[in-house]
Amino acid sequence: MSSDVPAPAPDTQADAEHWKKLGNDKLKEGNKMGYMSAVECYTRGIAACGSDASKLRSQLHSNRAHVNILLRKFVEAVDDCRKAIGADPTNIKPYWRGARASHFLALFQQAAEFCDSGLQVDSSNDELIKMKVAAEKELQALKARRETASASKPDYNPQEAMELKGKINELDDRIDHMKMLAHGKERDRRRMALTIQHVTSEDIKESRLFRPVGRCFLLTSRDTLVEQYNAECKGIVEELPKLQAAIQDLESRKDKTQNELLDMMKGGSAK
């Protein structure tokens, strides 16, 4: 973030709105540097949100998801969409953005689930309907390919073998990235739990507590701070199983792709 960006006054709601507007302005620049600055602005806005600003928090997470999709950071985008929905289930945008990011990750079942959840909020949303149709089409095509692969062993084709190997490497990278993300979230959960234990201890009962807001620190009541950390912990606890399920899905697809490659290599001589 450049030094000429004006910092807002240390007011929670005004601060979050400031970073949201600045992030929107950076997004309109339409280039990678602008996108990266927008992510930082939205991140600061999220940190500034009070526990009662659920709609604003949802918008900030949803906006950051949109930029992460533009930066091809699809795992992070899905994470933000889940948080946006958790903060405000009536916000329709994160359902579609979560489905789109999942589609880019080839997690078509997850994409369809985002669409189903969004359609419960807005049953006539054309974008969600189209995305669900696309996801279900990909699922059917994937099922057909698996059935075909299991029915016969293909002849060895060097070009197809290279493509399968590339797909395996790509799945490996996604699995490693998601495992790192899950590990980081578990670390954050433990850190927050220790922080809650510390701020509620009798040893600092009379101490003044502050929380970071952008470049400032705001005096915060103990109850508000504990409520905020408990909410964040709850969000992580709810998200970890979904991350693990996504990892298992990717590992299953990797195993099937590896078996497909092995079957091809055993199928016969090169064409």
Side-chain angles (χ1 to χ4, degrees), residues 37-51:
S37 295
V39 167
E40 182 179 349
C41 290
Y42 295 139
T43 299
R44 292 189 178 192
I46 291 166
C49 270
S51 58

Side-chain angles (χ1 to χ4, degrees), residues 59-73:
Q59 292 166 8
L60 286 161
H61 275 296
S62 181
N63 287 3
R64 191 170 69 177
H66 173 54
V67 183
N68 275 327
I69 291 173
L70 295 175
L71 291 170
R72 302 191 66 79
K73 295 183 177 181

Side-chain angles (χ1 to χ4, degrees), residues 5 30 38 41 62 101 117 127 129 136 157 215 244 253 266:
V5 173
C41 290
S62 181
S117 297
E127 289 184 329
I129 293 171
E136 290 178 342
N157 182 302
R215 298 179 182 179
Q244 293 298 335
R253 288 168 51 204
K266 295 175 183 178

Side-chain angles (χ1 to χ4, degrees), residues 157-266:
N157 182 302
Q159 180 63 33
E160 292 179 5
M162 287 294 292
E163 291 175 359
L164 287 172
K165 181 60 178 174
K167 185 176 180 180
I168 291 168
N169 291 338
E170 180 185 354
L171 288 167
D172 262 332
D173 289 342
R174 290 180 180 175
I175 290 167
D176 288 343
H177 184 75
M178 294 193 76
K179 283 183 176 179
M180 288 177 61
L181 185 63
H183 178 73
K185 287 188 176 297
E186 176 59 26
R187 185 178 61 245
D188 289 344
R189 184 195 66 77
R190 292 176 182 177
R191 176 179 56 80
M192 289 177 193
L194 287 173
T195 302
I196 293 170
Q197 183 180 353
H198 179 65
V199 300
T200 55
S201 68
E202 292 295 326
D203 295 340
I204 62 167
K205 186 175 182 180
E206 304 301 324
S207 300
R208 302 169 72 195
L209 300 175
F210 296 82
R211 68 182 179 91
V213 177
R215 298 179 182 179
C216 308
F217 289 87
L218 289 182
L219 181 64
T220 306
S221 71
R222 193 179 313 275
D223 289 344
T224 299
L225 196 61
V226 170
E227 180 184 355
Q228 178 183 343
Y229 279 127
N230 276 329
E232 292 181 19
C233 277
K234 181 181 178 182
I236 292 174
V237 169
E238 291 175 349
E239 176 139 9
L240 280 172
K242 298 173 183 177
L243 278 174
Q244 293 298 335
I247 291 170
Q248 290 174 5
D249 179 67
L250 288 170
E251 288 177 335
S252 175
R253 288 168 51 204
K254 175 190 167 185
D255 290 342
K256 290 176 181 178
T257 305
Q258 286 177 324
N259 289 335
E260 186 178 347
L261 178 58
L262 288 173
D263 286 344
M264 178 182 290
M265 295 176 69
K266 295 175 183 178

Side-chain angles (χ1 to χ4, degrees), residues 102-103 106-113 134-136 138-139 142 145:
S102 299
H103 200 279
L107 298 173
F108 305 119
Q109 183 60 46
Q110 179 171 284
E113 289 170 358
E136 290 178 342
E138 291 289 352
L139 283 171
L142 182 60
R145 287 196 298 272

Side-chain angles (χ1 to χ4, degrees), residues 91-163:
N91 184 0
I92 201 66
K93 288 183 178 179
Y95 293 102
W96 184 83
R97 289 169 177 167
R100 186 176 181 220
S102 299
H103 200 279
F104 277 118
L105 290 167
L107 298 173
F108 305 119
Q109 183 60 46
Q110 179 171 284
E113 289 170 358
F114 267 113
C115 293
D116 285 336
S117 297
L119 288 169
Q120 290 180 14
V121 178
D122 181 2
S123 60
S124 61
N125 188 283
D126 288 338
E127 289 184 329
L128 284 174
I129 293 171
K130 290 177 182 177
M131 181 63 73
K132 182 180 179 182
V133 170
E136 290 178 342
K137 183 177 179 181
E138 291 289 352
L139 283 171
Q140 291 171 1
L142 182 60
K143 181 180 179 181
R145 287 196 298 272
R146 288 172 178 172
E147 290 174 349
T148 301
S150 63
S152 62
K153 292 182 178 180
D155 291 333
Y156 179 73
N157 182 302
Q159 180 63 33
E160 292 179 5
M162 287 294 292
E163 291 175 359

